[in-house]
Amino acid sequence: MAPVIRTEGLTKVYGEDRGIIDLSLECGKGEIFGFLGPNGSGKTTTIRTLLDLLHPSSGRAEIFGLDSRSQSRAIRARVGNLPGGFAYEKHLTGRELIQLFARLRGISDLGRAEELAQRFDVGLDQPLKQLSRGNVQKIALIQALFHSPELLILDEPTSGLDPLMQAEFIRLLEEERGRGVTVFLSSHDLDEVERICDRVAIIRSARLVAIEDVHDMHRRAMRHFVVRFDRPVELEPFAALPGVQQLELVDGRLTFSVSGTADAAVKLLAGYTLTDIEITHPSLEELFMTYYGGDHE
Amino acid sequence: MSSGAPVSPPGSARSLYAIVRHLLRLQRWAPLTWGLSLGLSCALVAAIWPSISDSISQAIASYPDAIKEAFSIEQLSSADQYLDVEMLSLIVPLALAFFAIRSVARPLVGAEENSYLDALLSVPLDRRVLAAGAMISTAILLAVILAIIWLMTWAAGLAVGAGIGLEEWTLGVVNVWPIAFAFGGFALLLCGMLHSLAAVTGVASGTLIAMYLIDLLGKLSPDVEPLRVISAYRYYGSAVQDGFDLSHALGLTAAGVLLAVAGAVLFNRRDIR
Ligand SMILES: Nc1ncnc2c1ncn2[C@@H]1O[C@H](COP(=O)(O)OP(=O)(O)OP(=O)(O)O)[C@@H](O)[C@H]1O
Ligand SMILES: [Mg+2]
């Protein structure tokens, strides 16, 4: 099947500054595709180029097989877009904003917008300037979704949402995927991307580092353990764990990292009495190190 | 349930209508603030005319000829001429050209600066349609503001028996529209090239003032006189004193349209920052 999004050597430079360099990727129908990278890596630049707000310096992009530049209007009719840092005329209410966008989309039925507003628990009758940041973000989500688009392009969609709403949002994305909707979402949060996405493109300093299946990412991902015990323990059994790194025992607090499955570590720990345990995912920087083998700029 | 069937985007005319309506709504207070303040000033000028007309005529007679010509006050014997000198020769066209500059630039480069365009251009809206909407809504607002100014002044004139000439006053007011519209077009051209509201406003209003000064100096000094052709004010002239020049009015309007078209093309081609 033809990919929904395809970029070929897509490059956008801002004078001296680089935005995105030689980006080639494909995103298939019904896929939740994550676009993961630290601040300033080029996520927003990529998205704004896809939407024809920025014109590529070189390379090209296609959405639904349509050219992102010459056929942008036809593309945007079929896309729901949540811009990063969404903002619009502050004294419009959510409803007025949705009505305007509906008119410009040729849509008269606002039923889905009302439904989404209820689901996200946000009123549509307050001016944007009176809404909290999280509630503005909900309005932004509604305007991206209310016309049931085939493709959702979401730039850091969960920013400003509380954990409850984030969970609701993830449920919604799963429903959308169930209907065959394709989702392209950017994030700098590895956990979030692992939770939501099927595949992930990882970018750094304007360049694509890898495109990975989330399952493969889990497999190679590192887990950090911080453990406290009810009595002093020996280090040796832990040093024998496969793939163990950064093993340390300070004041009865054991810390170590394992890559791949954490199964062996958990089974070993099961033989002790623990007073506390914390297992965390690696930071984005640490993830990059697994791709660069520790050698990074 | 599958995702919604692809909706074909509305045609340009419908989008344009929606945008014009939206932009008029965003500026719904402009006719009041601009119309009321300029209308009040004009009404005041009309209201004091009867009490000062005699002394003015004497004062004018003593002015040097060059000054009289530069400020178009060869004669000052009626309320409409007084209104022309006091309001229509400088303040009203300057204020409304400035209004047009802001009114065109705000929904384009102003919205760009606030990231509003990232939201608005998520929909299948052609940027040229947005630019056209900015011009059309500005043109409408200019007409409404001028109508308010006309009406308030006329009413004040009637109340004090100032004897404003209906035809002169009407044409004098109508004559402001083309020059203000032309500066709206110029602002749109600048929106096609610049990325900041302050820059567009600064360059456009700087040009506005420079053109006024060139025209004024051109009337005073023969050396500067040839430069007057590049000043929009030369084509604005004075409809009250010299009659309404239709070709100049149409010329200014056409210039506004051409500048706007060029601006819309550039705005469509450039990056939205
Ligand atoms: N309008 C612009 N002019 C010049 N440089 C820009 C512009 N916009 C972005 N950049 C540069 O392009 C690079 C990529 O920025 P971009 O906004 O795409 O990053 P991002 O991945 O979205 O970051 P964040 O996570 O902070 O949103 C940065 O180095 C940034 O400084
Ligand atoms: Mg960003």
Side-chain angles (χ1 to χ4, degrees):
Chain A
M1 202 187 306
V4 173
I5 299 178
R6 196 162 76 97
T7 71
E8 243 178 56
L10 193 67
T11 299
K12 176 68 195 179
V13 291
Y14 304 97
E16 296 275 285
D17 283 338
R18 39 197 190 163
I20 186 84
I21 295 169
D22 197 22
L23 178 75
S24 298
L25 56 79
E26 287 189 1
C27 168
K29 183 167 163 51
E31 185 169 37
I32 300 187
F33 192 93
F35 202 47
L36 181 68
N39 291 136
S41 54
K43 303 181 295 293
T44 301
T45 301
T46 304
I47 287 177
R48 298 183 81 241
T49 309
L50 290 176
L51 291 164
D52 197 40
L53 290 161
L54 299 174
H55 299 146
S57 310
S58 64
R60 61 193 305 268
E62 276 179 6
I63 297 181
F64 311 122
L66 303 170
D67 182 69
S68 72
R69 285 216 54 189
S70 58
Q71 294 169 297
S72 172
R73 228 164 75 78
I75 291 171
R76 281 179 282 144
R78 296 163 65 183
V79 170
N81 171 46
L82 176 98
F86 177 90
Y88 202 63
E89 299 285 351
K90 304 255 179 293
H91 52 264
L92 288 195
T93 65
R95 180 167 285 107
E96 287 166 338
L97 182 140
I98 303 287
Q99 277 167 348
L100 170 69
F101 284 26
R103 248 176 244 128
L104 292 168
R105 287 188 176 281
I107 288 173
S108 49
D109 179 11
L110 298 186
R112 180 121 203 266
E114 302 283 352
E115 215 173 273
L116 287 164
Q118 251 174 20
R119 182 164 179 177
F120 284 122
D121 190 26
V122 60
L124 290 178
D125 292 311
Q126 265 174 305
L128 295 184
K129 64 170 173 248
Q130 287 176 18
L131 293 178
S132 68
R133 198 166 102 69
N135 282 335
V136 171
Q137 187 71 357
K138 293 177 190 174
I139 301 285
L141 276 170
I142 295 171
Q143 73 65 42
L145 284 156
F146 80 100
H147 56 293
S148 305
E150 295 162 64
L151 167 64
L152 287 167
I153 296 182
L154 311 170
D155 195 355
E156 300 193 21
T158 54
S159 98
L161 296 184
D162 63 38
L164 218 63
M165 283 303 146
Q166 288 190 16
E168 190 58 45
F169 167 73
I170 293 171
R171 263 198 296 283
L172 181 75
L173 283 192
E174 275 156 7
E175 289 169 25
E176 293 292 313
R177 173 173 51 191
R179 310 172 175 193
V181 172
T182 308
V183 182
F184 184 90
L185 76 86
S186 86
S187 174
H188 45 65
D189 184 343
L190 181 61
D191 274 357
E192 174 178 273
V193 160
E194 284 190 346
R195 237 180 314 148
I196 306 178
C197 300
D198 304 315
R199 279 201 309 149
V200 181
I202 299 163
I203 59 164
R204 183 167 190 265
S205 306
R207 288 179 190 278
L208 185 66
V209 175
I211 300 184
E212 284 234 64
D213 205 275
V214 162
H215 300 295
D216 296 337
M217 276 173 76
H218 280 302
R219 221 168 293 134
R220 69 189 287 171
M222 220 175 240
R223 297 287 178 269
H224 295 310
F225 284 75
V226 180
V227 193
R228 283 177 187 281
F229 302 90
D230 68 337
R231 70 193 62 161
V233 295
E234 296 292 317
L235 210 53
E236 280 79 60
F238 294 95
L241 280 172
V244 73
Q245 287 176 38
Q246 297 159 358
L247 182 63
E248 235 177 32
L249 182 61
V250 181
D251 298 335
R253 180 171 167 273
L254 180 74
T255 59
F256 62 93
S257 304
V258 289
S259 54
T261 168
D263 186 60
V266 172
K267 286 193 172 136
L268 175 61
L269 287 168
Y272 294 82
T273 305
L274 311 184
T275 57
D276 190 19
I277 183 167
E278 198 186 314
I279 306 174
T280 53
H281 287 200
S283 69
L284 212 44
E285 269 314 298
E286 287 168 311
L287 177 75
F288 289 130
M289 281 169 66
T290 69
Y291 289 102
Y292 289 100
D295 132 60
H296 63 111
E297 294 167 54
Chain B
M1 189 164 69
S2 76
S3 69
V7 187
S8 56
S12 296
R14 293 188 68 143
S15 299
L16 183 60
Y17 174 73
I19 281 295
V20 169
R21 203 175 131 178
H22 169 59
L23 294 181
L24 287 177
R25 207 186 158 278
L26 287 181
Q27 294 217 70
R28 64 192 178 284
W29 298 112
L32 269 191
T33 50
W34 290 79
L36 221 56
S37 54
L38 289 169
L40 265 180
S41 314
C42 290
L44 210 68
V45 168
I48 60 172
W49 170 252
S51 57
I52 58 160
S53 56
D54 291 344
S55 50
I56 287 271
S57 307
Q58 283 164 21
I60 295 288
S62 65
Y63 286 176
D65 285 345
I67 295 288
K68 284 194 238 176
E69 199 186 325
F71 292 94
S72 324
I73 44 176
E74 295 95 83
Q75 41 159 288
L76 232 180
S77 54
S78 68
D80 38 81
Q81 283 168 4
Y82 186 50
L83 277 165
D84 184 52
V85 169
E86 289 288 316
M87 300 303 298
L88 293 185
S89 68
L90 177 60
I91 296 170
V92 173
L94 212 62
L96 289 190
F98 183 75
F99 166 78
I101 290 165
R102 297 287 293 185
S103 169
V104 167
R106 212 181 293 115
L108 302 176
V109 59
E112 175 182 19
E113 276 186 316
N114 290 322
S115 306
Y116 294 174
L117 288 188
D118 277 51
L120 186 62
L121 294 173
S122 296
V123 304
L125 172 65
D126 190 316
R127 286 191 217 168
R128 289 166 298 191
V129 170
L130 176 62
M135 269 318 270
I136 292 171
S137 58
T138 301
I140 294 171
L141 288 167
L142 280 174
V144 173
I145 294 168
L146 285 168
I148 293 172
I149 295 172
W150 182 92
L151 191 71
M152 288 178 70
T153 313
W154 184 252
L158 279 187
V160 301
I164 302 172
L166 175 63
E167 192 186 331
E168 287 81 358
W169 177 237
T170 306
L171 292 177
V173 170
V174 168
N175 195 37
V176 177
W177 190 91
I179 190 170
F181 179 80
F183 275 95
F186 183 51
L188 180 43
L189 178 70
L190 294 173
C191 288
M193 304 188 285
L194 303 171
H195 293 269
S196 112
L197 182 59
V200 170
T201 310
V203 174
S205 33
T207 308
L208 175 68
I209 290 163
M211 282 188 166
Y212 174 75
L213 291 177
I214 287 172
D215 193 57
L216 184 63
L217 293 176
K219 287 191 221 163
L220 287 170
S221 145
D223 294 340
V224 187
E225 159 68 28
L227 278 181
R228 285 185 65 201
V229 292
I230 62 159
S231 169
Y233 270 88
R234 150 114 173 60
Y235 308 100
Y236 172 63
S238 165
V240 173
Q241 312 261 358
D242 309 325
F244 182 71
D245 189 324
L246 185 63
S247 60
H248 282 176
L250 290 178
L252 281 172
T253 307
V257 171
L258 285 178
L259 290 166
V261 168
V265 169
L266 291 175
F267 186 68
N268 192 44
R269 281 197 194 151
R270 76 167 172 80
D271 282 349
I272 301 294
R273 290 233 178 108

